[in-house]
């Protein structure tokens, strides 16, 4: 008998169990009496609206296996569209619009979508860039249609008193394609099958103790779909999801207080900003029991502010480790993070990401930049040695979409199973915890050794004038790299006046540590470029190009 599974069944179940409970609460700006205005939709309404959309999709020619690009802002149409596509067995595709037009269109070229549900601007770009859409046939517009025809989201749906029959998709059938941010190279489409997607929902519920009594302050739209599938109410703050690091803190804080949110998943950049504002204004969030931060290492101070000043007693912060290809891989609570990184040596050991999640096997293997065709236990490194982090899990994606070369580099065959190479480096400690030491592609390969970003940068981050630092490599022409540390100073530090003194002090710190004693180049940068999804990962590729230019200028100025 076929193994049927479809995540839309979770919405149908919640609509039956809690029909009048809000599934989505959308904060849309100032209300009449001050504060934020809200629009609420129950689980019954979301289920019925997605049923109507599913009927419209079938009428428009979107059915089983149709790759459909979704370019909608967070709101009822966003959630209704995704669940409707699941219901008909189509394949929704999500690409971060903030990655920029050229990179987005390259993702579209690889994807070759057949349909798109999007806002008018997205369709205008599609029409202007037709060559990137060679297989396109169905356009559905949310908002005003102009000259491109197709269907109107507001008009194409047909409501009925009968539930839409959800497609009996199989566990290994493709369910969705989500694109990576492309922080260390071109963005890649990650294929999720229905079994992996459903398993991921179950693991998230177990990892964070989520129940259908929780309310999620949903600052990351992608996770909101999981929230609804788990029966949580997704409270959508009035913010630009493409720029979480620029959020206006009251727009997150007020919905949490007003709706009694108990859970939140978001970027470390967002929670760094919100926690700083809350502490500065004496604000506490007494209902919020779990704050989950992912996408980049979380600064220690963010854990401290949230746990010590903002959250209620007994609440905790969490930092799940994973990637678009497999999330979660491991998880750790803020309490434990603060306990095991309390001394200077711990801070220089990398970032603890915790113990493997349920059903996940993690191994650290020898670092290689080449494909590994077959798994061999001889690849595994001893405890404490830094290597590549690899994972084996039922919810790990088996393929990138239309990118066999990327599959060859990231997947290792192991009988009827496989291992995914995370693209990260780290190690396992004596307690069995995994520690993250940076991206494999970001290691700096000097003539003597490899330098890893997180442990190296921690040496310089100790200085009181440093907000954060970035290790990059500049080519030397002999196949090796010259390590350079780039400093982003704290607000109020005038590097034009104080830069020489700070540089000397940082070089003294470097000399005192065998890990950094070979570093002699320190540059100052006004503000690091970051990834478009979480606004937290440093774009070291861009900084490396900038550093190379700065060093050439410096050499030219000192040349006789």
């Amino acid at each position: 008998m076929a193994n049927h599974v479809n995540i839309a069944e979770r919405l149908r179940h919640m609509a039956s169990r809690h029909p009048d409970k809000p599934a989505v609460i959308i904060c849309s700006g100032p209300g009449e009496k001050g504060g934020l205005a809200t629009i609420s939709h129950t689980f019954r309404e979301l289920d019925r609206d997605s049923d109507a959309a599913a009927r419209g999709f079938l009428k428009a020619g979107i059915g089983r296996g149709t790759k459909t690009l979704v370019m909608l802002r967070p709101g009822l149409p966003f959630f209704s569209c995704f669940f409707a596509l699941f219901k008909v067995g189509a394949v929704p595709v999500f690409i971060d619009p903030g990655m920029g037009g050229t990179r987005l269109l390259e993702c579209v070229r690889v994807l070759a979508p057949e349909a798109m549900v999007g806002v008018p601007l997205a369709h205008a770009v599609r029409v202007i860039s037709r060559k990137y859409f060679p297989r396109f046939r169905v356009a559905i517009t949310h908002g005003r249609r102009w000259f491109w025809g197709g269907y109107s989201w507001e008009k194409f749906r047909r409501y009925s008193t009968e539930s839409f029959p959800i497609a009996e998709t199989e566990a290994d059938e493709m369910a969705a394609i989500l694109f990576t941010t492309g922080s260390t190279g071109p963005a890649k489409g990650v294929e999720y099958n229905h079994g992996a997607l459903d398993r991921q929902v179950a693991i998230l519920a177990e990892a964070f103790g989520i129940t259908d009594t929780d309310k999620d302050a949903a600052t990351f739209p992608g996770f909101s779909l999981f929230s609804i599938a788990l029966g949580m109410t997704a409270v959508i703050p009035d913010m630009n999801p493409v720029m979480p690091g620029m959020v206006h803190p009251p727009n997150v804080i007020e919905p949490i207080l007003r709706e009694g949110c108990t859970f939140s998943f978001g970027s470390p950049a967002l929670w760094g900003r919100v926690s700083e504002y809350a502490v500065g204004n004496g604000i506490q969030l007494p209902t919020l029991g779990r704050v989950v931060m992912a996408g980049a290492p979380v600064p220690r101070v963010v854990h401290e502010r949230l746990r010590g000043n903002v959250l209620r007693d007994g609440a905790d912060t969490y930092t799940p480790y994973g990637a678009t290809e497999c999330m979660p891989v491991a998880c750790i609570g803020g309490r434990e993070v603060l306990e095991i990184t309390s001394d200077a040596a711990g801070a220089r050991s990398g970032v603890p990401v915790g113990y493997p999640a349920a059903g996940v096997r993690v191994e650290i293997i020898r670092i290689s930049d080449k494909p590994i065709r077959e798994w061999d236990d001889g690849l595994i490194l001893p405890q404490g040695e830094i290597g590549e982090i690899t994972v084996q899990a039922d919810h790990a994606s088996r393929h990138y979409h239309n990118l066999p070369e990327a599959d060859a580099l990231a997947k290792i065959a192991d009988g009827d199973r496989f291992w995914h190479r995370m693209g990260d480096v780290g190690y396992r400690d004596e307690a069995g915890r995994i520690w993250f030491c940076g991206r494999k592609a970001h290691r700096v390969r000097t003539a003597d050794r490899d330098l890893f970003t997180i442990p190296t940068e921690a040496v310089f981050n100790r200085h009181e004038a440093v907000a954060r630092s970035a290790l990059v490599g500049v080519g030397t022409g002999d196949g090796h790299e010259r390590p350079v540390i780039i400093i982003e100073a704290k607000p109020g530090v005038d590097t034009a006046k104080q830069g020489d003194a700070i540089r000397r002090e940082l070089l003294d710190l470097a000399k005192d540590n065998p890990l950094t004693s070979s570093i002699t180049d320190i540059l100052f940068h006004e503000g690091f470029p970051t990834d478009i999804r979480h606004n937290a990962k440093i774009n070291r590729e861009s900084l490396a190009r900038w550093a190379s230019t700065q060093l050439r200028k410096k050499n030219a100025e000192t040349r006789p």
Side-chain angles (χ1 to χ4, degrees), residues 206-250:
E206 180 178 347
F208 304 120
I210 297 171
T211 71
D212 57 11
T213 63
D214 281 306
K215 281 189 175 181
D216 176 23
T219 63
F220 182 55
F223 191 88
S224 305
L225 293 165
F226 292 118
S227 302
I228 293 169
L230 287 165
M232 284 196 285
T233 297
V235 181
I236 314 296
D238 183 18
M239 59 174 281
N240 182 353
V242 175
M243 301 183 69
M246 299 300 292
V247 71
H248 182 50

Side-chain angles (χ1 to χ4, degrees), residues 445-446 475-481:
R445 313 188 73 176
T446 72
T476 59
D478 61 357
H480 298 111
E481 293 176 302

Side-chain angles (χ1 to χ4, degrees), residues 123-143:
H123 282 288
V125 171
R126 173 185 59 80
V127 172
I128 294 169
S129 309
R130 293 180 188 274
K131 66 178 181 179
Y132 293 95
F133 295 81
R135 299 182 60 193
F136 192 83
R137 56 185 178 81
V138 183
I140 299 172
T141 306
H142 178 253

